[in-house]
Amino acid sequence: MQATSDEVLIARIAGGDRLAMQVLYARHHVRVYRFVLRLVRNDSAAEDLISEVFLDVWRQAASFEGRSAVTTWLLAIARFKALSTLRRRPEEELDDEMAGAIEDPSDDPGRTLEIKEKSEILRKCLTALSPEHREIIDLVYYHEKSVEEVAEIVGIPENTVKTRMFYARKKLAEQLKAAGIERGWP
Amino acid sequence: MMTSKNEANGHEDIEALLPWHAAGTLSQRDAARVERALKTDKELARRYDLVREELAETIHLNETLGAPSTRALDRLFKKIDAEAPRTRRVSLDLTARITTFIAGFSPRTLAFSAAAAALAIMLQAGVITGVLIKDRGTQGYETASQGPAQTAADGVFVRVRFNPQASAADINRFLETNKASIVGGPTESGLFRVKVAVTGLPKSEITRLVKQMQDDKTVGMLASE
C-alpha cells in the first residue's frame, strides 16, 4: 500500500488535520533535527528549533505551492531558523561551544596518529568544516538534494552551489592532509 | 575554479557533478554523461572513489547524531493547541488539491464520477447549455437548465471536475490556455469553482468558450454557473 505523499499531508495540515501533522513530523523530524544540529551544534537549541520549524509548517501549509519537494521546503525553513538562532547567540558562546565540539585534527598530531581508522579522521574533518561547508556537504550527501534543490534551500545560484561544494571538498582534503591523510586531490 | 589534472581532458564540469552522481540525484542525462566519462578517465574514476568515501562518512556521521527527545513533539503540539481553531481553507495549492482529491478516491466517489461523466456527455452534445450545480455533500447534484449570463461583467464562473487521469501539468495548461484560475473547491464530490478572466463578452462568445473548455481532455465535466 502506498504511503500518503508529503504533498497530500501538507494539504490536510492546511485544513487543520493534526494527525497529518503527526505523520509528517514522524516522517521527517529526525533528518530536520540532524540538519539543524549540525548547524547550531547544541542539542537543546536544535530540539527547540525543530518545534519551531514544524509549527511554521502548521501555520504556512496553505501557502505551500508545491513547486519543490516538501523536504526541500522543510530544510529551507530549518536553515532560516538555525541561522537566525546563530545570529542571536553571542559570538563568545558560539566559539566556546565550537571549541568544545570540534577537535582540530591538526592540533594534536600525537592523538591524531592514535586514531587509526581513516574513516574516523574523515568524520572529524567533516565536523571541523565551516558551517557553510558543512551545510552544503550534508545537503548533498546526507539529505540527497539536487543542485537545484540546494540552490533553493541555501538561496544561491546553481553554479555557486557547485563551486561551494568544490571548495567544501577542497577544504576537507586540506584538513585530511593536515591530519596525515594525503588523497592526491586536489 | 578547478585546477585538476583532468581539466585538460575536458572533464572539469563532470568532476563538479561527482558528488551528486554518488548521491544519485543527477538527471538521467547528466548521470549518463558522468558514467561515460568515468569509463574513459581513470583519474576521474579515482576521484569518484574519494567522493564515495566522503558520502559514506557523511551519512555515518549524521546517523550517529541521534534523534530529538519527545520534548520537541510535546512542545510543538502545545503550541498548535494554543493556536486558534482552523476552518478548512479554500486557498490550497492546485497540485495539493488535486493530489488530495485523487488520493481520496473511494469506490463511492468513482461511481459518482461515472454519473457525472454521463452528465458531461449531455452537455457536450448540447442538450443543455448550462448546468447549475450545487454540492450537497452526500445528496448529489441538483441540475437546472440555465443559459450563461448575457455578458461577463466580472469574468465567467464554471464548475469543473477534472479527469482523474489528468496531471497537475495538464490542469495548469488548461488553466493557462483559458486564462482561468481556481477560486474554490474541491467539494467532497471533487468539483472546483473556476473563474475565467474575461469581461464584457457577448452570450455567444461565452457559450463558445464554455464549449471549448468542455472539449478539453483534462476536463471530466464542466458546467457554467
Side-chain angles (χ1 to χ4, degrees):
Chain A
M1 187 178 162
Q2 195 178 4
T4 309
S5 77
D6 286 345
E7 287 73 16
V8 169
L9 288 176
I10 291 291
R12 290 178 183 169
I13 290 167
D17 187 337
R18 289 171 95 261
L19 182 60
M21 189 70 221
Q22 277 180 296
V23 174
L24 191 82
Y25 181 89
R27 200 177 277 180
H28 299 295
H29 78 287
V30 174
R31 277 182 177 256
V32 174
Y33 169 77
R34 288 171 179 168
F35 178 64
V36 167
L37 180 59
R38 288 267 286 154
L39 292 174
V40 300
R41 298 178 183 237
N42 179 297
D43 293 352
S44 176
E47 280 198 0
D48 289 346
L49 280 170
I50 59 163
S51 299
E52 294 298 320
V53 170
F54 283 93
L55 185 63
D56 264 22
V57 169
W58 175 259
R59 288 172 174 163
Q60 296 176 25
S63 65
F64 176 70
E65 294 180 342
R67 292 197 184 109
S68 56
V70 171
T71 53
T72 300
W73 185 50
L74 280 173
L75 292 176
I77 297 172
R79 178 180 188 271
F80 176 79
K81 292 201 170 287
L83 295 185
S84 300
T85 298
L86 287 174
R87 275 194 290 271
R88 282 198 301 269
R89 283 159 71 178
E91 202 65 34
E92 320 79 74
E93 184 192 338
L94 189 63
D95 287 344
D96 286 348
E97 278 181 25
M98 283 185 171
I102 307 163
E103 288 179 42
D104 186 338
S106 62
D107 278 354
D108 184 353
R111 173 160 162 66
T112 303
L113 285 173
E114 287 171 15
I115 304 168
K116 303 292 183 193
E117 296 295 329
K118 181 182 172 187
S119 60
E120 195 172 334
I121 297 175
L122 213 163
R123 289 198 295 276
K124 277 203 166 290
C125 292
L126 283 167
T127 305
L129 288 173
S130 70
E132 192 177 72
H133 287 160
R134 279 201 310 273
E135 173 185 72
I136 198 152
I137 282 190
D138 282 351
L139 285 172
V140 176
Y141 286 152
Y142 184 64
H143 297 282
E144 300 174 1
K145 290 298 170 193
S146 67
V147 174
E148 298 80 7
E149 288 170 325
V150 175
E152 190 178 332
I153 292 166
V154 182
I156 54 177
E158 290 176 16
N159 277 338
T160 309
V161 170
K162 292 180 193 169
T163 311
R164 189 172 293 178
M165 185 65 180
F166 174 82
Y167 282 112
R169 295 189 56 238
K170 186 167 178 273
K171 191 72 186 170
L172 181 66
E174 286 168 9
Q175 291 185 351
L176 283 167
K177 192 174 180 180
I181 297 176
E182 173 59 75
R183 302 203 299 170
W185 180 89
Chain B
M1 174 182 80
M2 296 165 209
T3 54
S4 56
K5 287 178 198 168
N6 66 2
E7 198 172 354
N9 298 338
H11 286 158
E12 184 191 1
D13 60 329
I14 297 286
E15 184 173 1
L17 297 177
L18 291 181
W20 286 275
H21 187 59
T25 50
L26 283 183
S27 66
Q28 280 191 338
R29 184 176 156 273
D30 281 341
R33 282 174 59 212
V34 174
E35 278 299 322
R36 278 197 299 274
L38 286 172
K39 280 179 186 164
T40 58
D41 188 333
K42 283 186 179 172
E43 175 59 18
L44 190 72
R46 190 186 75 78
R47 290 175 188 187
Y48 184 54
D49 286 342
L50 300 180
V51 167
R52 287 166 54 85
E53 203 172 64
E54 293 162 13
L55 180 133
E57 294 310 328
T58 303
I59 291 172
H60 186 125
L61 174 65
N62 273 277
E63 288 295 318
T64 55
L65 289 177
S69 68
T70 54
R71 189 180 71 94
L73 180 65
D74 294 342
R75 192 182 148 113
L76 169 66
F77 276 93
K78 266 184 192 167
K79 288 189 175 180
I80 285 175
D81 290 341
E83 301 254 311
R86 186 182 297 174
T87 53
R88 182 154 188 89
R89 298 175 71 157
V90 295
S91 60
L92 297 184
D93 158 66
L94 170 63
T95 308
R97 287 186 201 181
I98 298 302
T99 48
T100 302
F101 166 52
I102 291 171
F105 270 152
S106 64
R108 180 183 150 276
T109 310
L110 290 169
F112 199 59
S113 295
L119 181 59
I121 290 166
M122 288 170 67
L123 279 165
Q124 284 163 359
V127 176
I128 310 171
T129 55
V131 177
L132 176 66
I133 297 170
K134 289 181 182 172
D135 182 55
R136 295 180 138 197
T138 56
Q139 294 176 36
Y141 294 111
E142 177 180 293
T143 65
S145 295
Q146 174 183 295
Q150 289 296 317
T151 59
D154 301 315
V156 173
F157 291 86
V158 293
R159 296 286 174 130
V160 177
R161 181 199 304 285
F162 292 106
N163 190 328
Q165 278 79 43
S167 67
D170 291 335
I171 294 168
N172 276 324
R173 178 200 49 74
F174 167 80
L175 295 172
E176 281 174 19
T177 304
N178 295 291
K179 295 186 176 60
S181 58
I182 291 178
V183 294
T187 62
E188 283 185 16
S189 50
L191 283 170
F192 291 86
R193 188 168 190 245
V194 170
K195 179 184 178 180
V196 184
V198 291
T199 53
L201 283 184
K203 180 181 175 182
S204 61
E205 266 304 292
I206 295 172
T207 303
R208 188 197 61 75
L209 186 65
V210 169
K211 178 74 170 65
Q212 176 187 304
M213 291 192 289
Q214 284 170 345
D215 289 343
D216 196 298
K217 65 179 172 53
T218 306
V219 170
M221 191 198 78
L222 183 145
S224 58
E225 288 189 350

